[in-house]
Amino acid sequence: MTVGWVLMSERELDRVEVLSQVSQGRMTAVTAVTAANVLGLSRRQVHRLLKRFESEGAASIRHKARGRPSTRRIDPGLREYAVSLVREQFADFGPTL
């Protein structure tokens, strides 16, 4: 098994910390309400995250879309066309306009 770096946000790290406490028994599953309050999630969501955390590890808590391009991005060709139109019509257009 290779161990690599996993980039996580502060929120994801907080989730891993609380879920590991629940997993280790320092915070019982019955008091998942406490974990839910700490994380600002529902009890059901905490149980779902805990199940995934225990089966796949800490990396499973990371957002799955990280590193992927947005599905709402503008096509680069269309963007370049729009920029060229603006440059033709408004030569003095600047970021402060």
Side-chain angles (χ1 to χ4, degrees):
M1 180 173 147
T2 58
V3 178
W5 290 94
V6 176
L7 295 176
M8 289 188 164
S9 67
E10 193 68 35
R11 188 176 98 192
E12 291 166 340
L13 288 172
D14 291 341
R15 286 182 177 188
V16 168
E17 183 179 333
V18 171
L19 291 173
S20 68
Q21 288 179 5
V22 173
S23 178
Q24 293 171 358
R26 286 188 268 161
M27 217 185 271
T28 63
V30 174
T31 60
V33 175
T34 306
N37 289 337
V38 169
L39 296 174
L41 300 171
S42 68
R43 187 176 56 100
R44 181 177 180 271
Q45 184 77 353
V46 170
H47 282 289
R48 188 184 68 78
L49 286 173
L50 183 62
K51 182 179 174 183
R52 194 167 70 198
F53 175 74
E54 289 176 343
S55 66
E56 300 174 30
S60 67
I61 303 304
R62 189 177 78 117
H63 197 279
K64 302 298 182 212
R66 176 160 297 148
R68 295 182 185 168
S70 171
T71 57
R72 297 178 51 88
R73 70 186 177 277
I74 297 173
D75 180 50
L78 179 63
R79 183 184 183 286
E80 188 57 41
Y81 176 69
V83 169
S84 68
L85 284 178
V86 169
R87 286 188 180 140
E88 285 175 16
Q89 298 294 320
F90 307 102
D92 60 343
F93 182 78
T96 60
L97 216 158

